[in-house]
Amino acid sequence: MRQLLRVVVFTWLGLAATSFVVGQEPEVPAIDFAHQIVPLLKQHCAECHAGERAEGGFSINNRGVLLDAGVVTEGDNSDSYLMELITTKDKDIQMPPAGKPRVPAKEVALVGRWIDQRLPWEPGFTFAENSYEPPLAPRRPELPPVVDGRVNPIDRIIDAHVASTGTTPTAELDDAAFYRRVSLDLVGLLPGPTDVQQFVADPSPDKRTQLIEQLLANRTAYAQHWMTFWNDLLRNDYQGTGYVDGGRKEIGAWLYRSLLENKPYDQFARELVAPSNESQGFINGIKWRGTVNASQTREIQFAQNVPQVFLGINLKCASCHDSFIDRWTLEETYNLAAVFSDHELEIHRCDKPTGKFAEPGWLFPELGELDGSQGREQRLKQLSKLLTDPENGRFTRTIVNRLWCQLMGRGIVHPTDSMHTEPWNEDLLDYLAVHLSDNGYDVQATLRLIANSHAYQSQSASIDEQPVSSEFEYQGPVAKRMTAEQFVDAVWQITETGPKDPHKKAAAFLGKAEGDQRAPNQRYRSALVASDLLMRSLGRPNREQVVSSRPPLLTTLQALDLSNSPTLVKTLDQGATNLLARFEGKSAPEIVDEVYLAALCRPPTEREQEVAVQILGDPSDKQGLEDLLWSVFMLPEFQIVR
């Protein structure tokens, strides 16, 4: 009976966890909006239904007006009138109208797939003339008056914003939930149960500020957590394509030391763009084996990666041809690539040579010209200074937008690589950017400012799905899934099963940075070991491309791996053995209390206690403890940073 109860409860809890965040796995290749849909719509529809023209009241200028027209049903092309218009033989209603070429069958199928995939649309793209041009220079906005004693500049701006929009922000987060959120956000670890209890009992009015300072002062935990964020952005890992044959070089030692030192962000960027031998892996990219497309050479990788990481500009489309989705041209991409190149660089359009050659240059000459006659090393130094010039507000806006997204669950500009898109609050973005430069490009100063705000310390807002930027209404932080590393580290923390040895490359830079001071029985974090099947399943990328954000939804594959991954099975089996020894002499209710406090930072409710004790058994045994761990780790409350 007890075993049956375990199975039923565990199954119910597992389903609750996965159904909360499971996304549908695509059965067909994802639509490439920029290359498959934009040219098609321009050729067959834009003449009559784009820009200032909207014949029959129908416009395709942006995704919102297309949906409002009622001619497409999101996710169902069979119920979309648009499909009938482009396939019918009735000349009175067919589109394009009689006398113009019909849409070829292959392109009709593309439109159908696009509708079935819920009309993916490049953020900020419009067929109309785009009236928004992101400013380049920094701007210092005037702060609104203080409301209800909330003096943090972020709160002053947001209070004015919600007053003007009529939205109602969420209430304040309780102390225990705040501790869990801020610890996971700043250092990537769950707080200890005793620490949480002491924090909740502390009557000090400034205890949250003190806690934030304490977390940021833990430089080792801070550095090891933010390694994940920067490894994703900088394509850095311990293993993968190129590392064995010398076609790729990792930068872990430089990165770890930079994070430990809290290196000023402008210096951090300059050392990546005009690198030393230790940090050159980022701009060198990956030397792919064999013959590659012209858009994947190391020079073009440089031109794609530097603007994406530091300016939120996506030049991938403009690496083959002039971009369909924004103002960047093929020539501008190749000119930037020529800054890095050590040879004359011929421009290729769609992988075909044009006979024209690039001249070293950069994207914003209004901030200063680059002398292309100098050697490669000097060109890179020039570029690094232009990139981090105090008058380049795009540089500071991009990183503070990324940091805001990491803590608040969604960027002020969304997605964070679409900095050509209008922010939901320009004053907030601009203030954070000048605050960063005013504070010597201290990234921790920005994190501190955000974490101390009432906005950050509020309960998560409920959002059914991520709206496009123009439709977003701020109500509070957006709940985030734990990263693969946070989930694994949390499981290792609670079960005392972390690895005893880091990856050999991590061991080398840890030794240099920390003087080989290894504690007895020390356990290491997931950012310091190679990715395994579980971490890859949960979203840790292979880092062959710049990754600025991981998918927010849990896929079916990930849900299955959480249910029966051999890696997780082995971990929880060993964890149950470890905890059984640690909990020796404790009653089942006491064990349940400790597990809940460790995992969720709160005691179980009366009903949870009753069910968990039945799972655990009284007296408890290893199998019961393992079942309890599975049940708690599958809870959405455990897997979500609320």
Side-chain angles (χ1 to χ4, degrees):
M1 179 65 185
R2 176 180 160 207
Q3 182 64 31
L4 176 61
L5 179 62
R6 286 179 188 160
V7 172
V8 170
V9 173
F10 170 63
T11 302
W12 181 84
L13 289 169
L15 287 172
T18 54
S19 64
F20 181 80
V21 287
V22 169
Q24 181 66 40
E25 286 281 2
E27 297 178 357
V28 293
I31 283 290
D32 181 342
F33 176 74
H35 291 90
Q36 293 178 311
I37 301 302
V38 172
L40 185 158
L41 294 179
K42 280 185 175 180
Q43 180 180 356
H44 299 292
C45 309
E47 182 182 345
C48 300
H49 303 286
E52 296 182 359
R53 300 194 65 179
E55 292 191 8
F58 173 50
S59 171
I60 61 168
N61 277 345
N62 59 58
R63 186 176 185 276
V65 298
L66 175 59
L67 287 171
D68 289 344
V71 298
V72 292
T73 300
E74 238 184 311
D76 186 1
N77 87 76
S78 65
D79 189 40
S80 296
Y81 185 48
L82 177 62
M83 294 300 294
E84 181 180 348
L85 293 176
I86 63 176
T87 58
T88 184
K89 295 180 180 179
D90 185 341
K91 294 184 179 181
D92 291 335
I93 64 170
Q94 71 179 39
M95 291 291 161
K100 294 190 175 184
R102 300 306 308 273
V103 180
K106 186 176 179 181
E107 294 184 1
V108 169
L110 275 177
V111 174
R113 279 175 49 203
W114 179 50
I115 294 171
D116 286 341
Q117 292 179 26
R118 305 186 70 83
L119 290 92
W121 195 283
E122 185 73 19
F125 174 77
T126 176
F127 285 100
E129 183 177 349
N130 193 347
S131 60
Y132 179 75
E133 175 63 28
L136 185 58
R139 182 179 72 94
R140 191 177 301 276
E142 182 178 347
L143 292 176
V146 174
V147 175
D148 294 335
R150 292 189 286 273
V151 298
N152 187 301
I154 290 173
D155 294 322
R156 293 172 67 174
I157 294 171
I158 286 182
D159 283 341
H161 176 83
V162 297
S164 68
T165 60
T167 54
T168 303
T170 55
E172 186 177 61
L173 202 61
D174 67 73
D175 282 340
F178 168 74
Y179 199 154
R180 188 179 195 269
R181 176 194 288 176
V182 76
S183 184
L184 284 167
D185 280 345
L186 296 184
V187 298
L189 295 172
L190 291 172
T194 302
D195 293 334
V196 174
Q197 290 172 318
Q198 290 175 349
F199 180 76
V200 171
D202 184 356
S204 304
D206 64 342
K207 64 182 181 182
R208 294 192 177 193
T209 297
Q210 292 179 23
L211 175 60
I212 292 165
E213 293 302 321
Q214 173 190 324
L215 292 169
L216 291 174
N218 187 345
R219 289 298 175 87
T220 298
Y222 169 85
Q224 292 181 9
H225 169 54
W226 287 90
M227 284 281 287
T228 293
F229 171 79
W230 284 109
N231 279 335
D232 282 5
L233 269 178
L234 301 178
R235 307 170 76 189
N236 186 57
D237 216 329
Y238 303 115
Q239 60 189 27
T241 302
Y243 285 124
V244 174
D245 60 8
R248 186 178 179 189
K249 185 175 181 180
E250 63 99 21
I251 59 172
W254 174 88
L255 178 58
Y256 186 63
R257 190 174 64 255
S258 297
L259 293 171
L260 278 177
E261 297 170 357
N262 190 31
K263 185 172 287 179
Y265 183 63
D266 59 338
Q267 179 185 347
F268 179 93
R270 285 193 293 271
E271 290 182 12
L272 284 167
V273 175
S276 65
N277 184 59
E278 193 180 33
S279 60
Q280 67 179 322
F282 169 64
I283 65 166
N284 284 352
I286 301 174
K287 182 176 176 59
W288 302 103
R289 294 180 182 180
T291 303
V292 298
N293 186 287
S295 65
Q296 286 300 308
T297 64
R298 278 182 154 173
E299 294 83 6
I300 300 299
Q301 289 178 54
F302 170 88
Q304 293 171 350
N305 297 338
V306 170
Q308 182 177 354
V309 171
F310 297 113
L311 301 173
I313 294 174
N314 189 336
L315 291 183
K316 288 185 172 65
C317 192
S319 299
C320 289
H321 45 72
D322 292 350
S323 177
F324 294 138
I325 56 176
D326 52 35
R327 68 180 180 87
W328 304 110
T329 66
L330 179 66
E331 184 177 354
E332 287 173 315
T333 302
Y334 268 83
N335 288 347
L336 182 58
V339 176
F340 172 83
S341 182
D342 57 7
H343 59 272
E344 197 173 35
L345 192 62
E346 185 176 7
I347 298 173
H348 285 63
R349 187 182 189 282
C350 298
D351 208 28
K352 295 179 180 179
T354 64
K356 297 179 181 179
F357 291 85
E359 296 288 340
W362 98 292
L363 301 177
F364 298 105
E366 56 265 49
L367 289 175
E369 294 287 348
L370 191 148
D371 183 359
S373 67
Q374 296 195 18
R376 178 178 182 271
E377 185 176 342
Q378 290 303 313
R379 294 197 303 268
L380 290 171
K381 286 182 179 179
Q382 290 180 67
L383 179 63
S384 72
K385 290 178 181 178
L386 289 167
L387 177 71
T388 60
D389 189 294
E391 290 304 306
N392 184 6
R394 187 81 176 242
F395 173 69
T396 46
R397 288 184 184 100
T398 299
I399 184 58
V400 297
N401 187 57
R402 295 195 193 282
L403 297 176
W404 179 271
C405 184
Q406 289 297 113
L407 268 62
M408 299 293 285
R410 181 186 169 100
I412 304 167
V413 173
H414 177 79
T416 56
D417 282 338
S418 297
M419 292 301 290
H420 61 283
T421 306
E422 191 168 4
W424 60 260
N425 190 296
E426 214 161 5
D427 283 353
L428 179 59
L429 182 64
D430 286 347
Y431 180 82
L432 290 173
V434 296
H435 176 272
L436 177 66
S437 56
D438 286 349
N439 283 273
Y441 298 87
D442 181 351
V443 167
Q444 284 202 354
T446 300
L447 296 174
R448 180 181 294 110
L449 180 71
I450 297 171
N452 272 298
S453 69
H454 178 79
Y456 174 80
Q457 297 179 19
S458 299
Q459 296 174 19
S460 296
S462 177
I463 295 181
D464 292 333
E465 59 180 286
Q466 290 280 7
V468 296
S469 292
S470 60
E471 298 172 2
F472 177 72
E473 290 188 355
Y474 174 84
Q475 293 178 287
V478 177
K480 313 176 288 284
R481 269 182 63 205
M482 280 181 170
T483 63
E485 291 85 347
Q486 285 173 322
F487 177 86
V488 169
D489 283 343
V491 170
W492 287 349
Q493 267 184 275
I494 294 169
T495 59
E496 302 171 358
T497 54
K500 296 180 180 179
D501 295 295
H503 190 278
K504 61 182 180 181
K505 292 179 181 177
F509 66 67
L510 287 173
K512 290 179 182 178
E514 299 169 5
D516 289 315
Q517 296 178 352
R518 178 167 176 165
N521 301 315
Q522 182 170 342
R523 300 282 183 168
Y524 290 89
R525 294 179 61 176
S526 56
L528 301 175
V529 299
S531 184
D532 59 23
L533 289 174
L534 178 62
M535 282 190 269
R536 287 199 290 274
S537 172
L538 293 179
R540 178 164 165 172
N542 62 20
R543 293 168 175 153
E544 292 179 358
Q545 303 293 331
V546 170
V547 177
S548 56
S549 61
R550 298 184 184 181
L553 297 179
L554 193 69
T555 67
T556 305
L557 174 62
Q558 291 167 342
L560 290 172
D561 249 4
L562 283 173
S563 300
N564 58 20
S565 160
T567 303
L568 194 54
V569 168
K570 183 178 179 181
T571 297
L572 297 193
D573 177 75
Q574 181 60 52
T577 299
N578 295 346
L579 295 185
L580 197 63
R582 195 178 90 193
F583 292 149
E584 186 176 1
K586 293 193 174 184
S587 67
E590 289 174 324
I591 294 173
V592 171
D593 283 346
E594 291 210 24
V595 170
Y596 265 73
L597 284 168
L600 308 178
C601 297
R602 66 168 178 83
T605 64
E606 185 177 338
R607 177 58 179 157
E608 286 171 332
Q609 175 77 262
E610 179 185 341
V611 174
V613 166
Q614 292 182 64
I615 295 173
L616 182 61
D618 196 3
S620 56
D621 57 21
K622 178 184 172 183
Q623 184 60 56
L625 190 50
E626 187 177 342
D627 288 347
L628 177 62
L629 291 173
W630 275 105
S631 300
V632 172
F633 292 157
M634 292 304 104
L635 287 169
E637 187 179 351
F638 177 76
Q639 297 180 24
I640 303 296
V641 184
R642 296 184 183 275

